[in-house]
Amino acid sequence: MVTVHRSGVGKKSNDSARLIFTTTLGAVFGFFIGVSLPAVSLTKIRFPSSIITSLDVAFTELRRPNPPPNRSLEDEGSEGVPKIYVPTNPRGAETLPPGIIVPQSDLYLRRLWGEPSADLKTTPKYLVSFTVGINQKKNIDAAVKKFSENFAILLFHYDGRTSEWDEFEWSKRAIHVSVKRQAKWWYAKRFLHPDIVAAYEYIFIWDEDLGVEHFDGEKYIQLVKKYGLEISQPGLEPNNGLTWEMTKRRGDREAHKDTEEKPGWCSDPHLPPCAAFVEIMAPVFSREAWRCAWHLIQNDLVHGWGLDFALRRCVEPAHEKIGVVDSQWIVHQVIPSLGSQGDPEDGKAPWEGVRTRCKNEWAEFQARLLGADQAYLSQRGRG
């Protein structure tokens, strides 16, 4: 009995020693393995944003207690700021907490004093831009007066003369951008980015030589919404400034979306210039349509020739969402004021050089668009 009892005690002692030895050996082995492996940063691993943010915050909280109420993480020093990576944030802002990001802006004018919340007495719903020179000052004044306070006014000055517009009360509330000797679509590409004009439901991008006696901005918007037009223009009074049948004003209706052109001009009744077509002199875009159209504008093709035939790619179905508003119509006065901004070359007048470039740009745009189509179709075929 005694012998058996002693054997049991000895067995328990050996088991305890073996357990202590194994535990110690495992701890030492684990230590050497840990120090020999390279450090792994969780910020280098693309976990879903919700997981990685939670992990980073959790590890940070283990190292340092939560900041007191009303204190920023910045107050905690470099070790207190959690490592953030949110891949769904806008490009370049992945390391910011989503709640602080402002991805879009507007053209609302603000004060330099007072509370920001009290800056804006009104917030215009629509944006109207004109590319102007001082010689068309009276014409632009008449045009601006056709738009209510719901429309923000933006003037692009191609002649650099801005202070002379101060005689008009509305000019003091307008936005003035002055860059000499540039064309409308050059300004639009650089100053009307979709994220800058996202606050506006519709964007007007108009020339300076338009007669607006029979036009009203508010009524125009009502008709655009009534007929579901994402891209539109006012009807043009038939005169020597008319090029296309599609944009010709029809006196027997409020709006139209198609027409009949000269024989052979339309391969399909739903395609330009018989439908899905407006000209580039006075287009009006919905916010969504402009986000697409902006990307069509080429940086170096500043006159925009060729855009009119390509705008149909930005709405679907284009023959239903592009049209002309007949009952709010304008007159194209055909004043080639921008042509005078060119330089005489090879004995040609300034306007001749501008005209030649316009035609060349049209051909170049068509070539680029065709090349892009072919590249896309080829890639899709390989896929």
Side-chain angles (χ1 to χ4, degrees), residues 206 215 220 232-236 247 282-284 323-326 328-330:
W206 280 19
F215 179 85
Y220 184 88
S232 64
Q233 74 163 76
L236 291 175
T247 55
V284 180
V324 174
V325 177
D326 296 290
Q328 296 298 314
W329 47 280
I330 59 177

Side-chain angles (χ1 to χ4, degrees), residues 39-49 51-53 55-56 83-87:
V40 178
S41 173
L42 285 174
T43 60
K44 303 296 185 182
I45 304 175
R46 300 295 180 90
F47 291 114
S49 59
I51 296 177
I52 190 64
T53 304
L55 288 173
D56 281 333
K83 300 294 186 275
I84 296 174
Y85 188 90
V86 186

Side-chain angles (χ1 to χ4, degrees), residues 256-367:
H256 70 272
K257 300 178 181 181
D258 56 27
T259 191
E260 291 185 5
E261 266 290 356
K262 299 177 179 63
W265 279 33
C266 297
S267 59
D268 186 311
H270 288 167
L271 293 180
C274 285
F277 177 79
V278 296
E279 297 188 61
I280 60 173
M281 72 176 72
V284 180
F285 299 89
S286 71
R287 180 192 295 120
E288 294 76 16
W290 177 244
R291 182 165 290 278
C292 170
W294 182 88
H295 288 85
L296 269 176
I297 304 171
Q298 307 292 291
N299 285 327
D300 55 335
L301 305 185
V302 298
H303 292 289
W305 280 36
L307 281 176
D308 43 11
F309 277 75
L311 290 175
R312 66 183 180 85
R313 296 168 180 253
C314 287
V315 292
E316 182 65 33
H319 66 278
E320 290 292 337
K321 295 187 177 182
I322 299 178
V324 174
V325 177
D326 296 290
S327 60
Q328 296 298 314
W329 47 280
I330 59 177
V331 176
H332 188 202
Q333 298 168 339
V334 197
I335 302 173
S337 52
L338 191 60
S340 64
Q341 300 297 307
D343 282 338
E345 292 182 348
D346 301 325
K348 295 181 180 180
W351 70 266
E352 291 182 288
V354 172
R355 184 74 175 181
T356 298
R357 170 147 182 170
C358 288
K359 294 179 178 180
N360 291 341
E361 284 193 8
W362 186 90
E364 176 63 21
F365 182 80
Q366 299 304 320

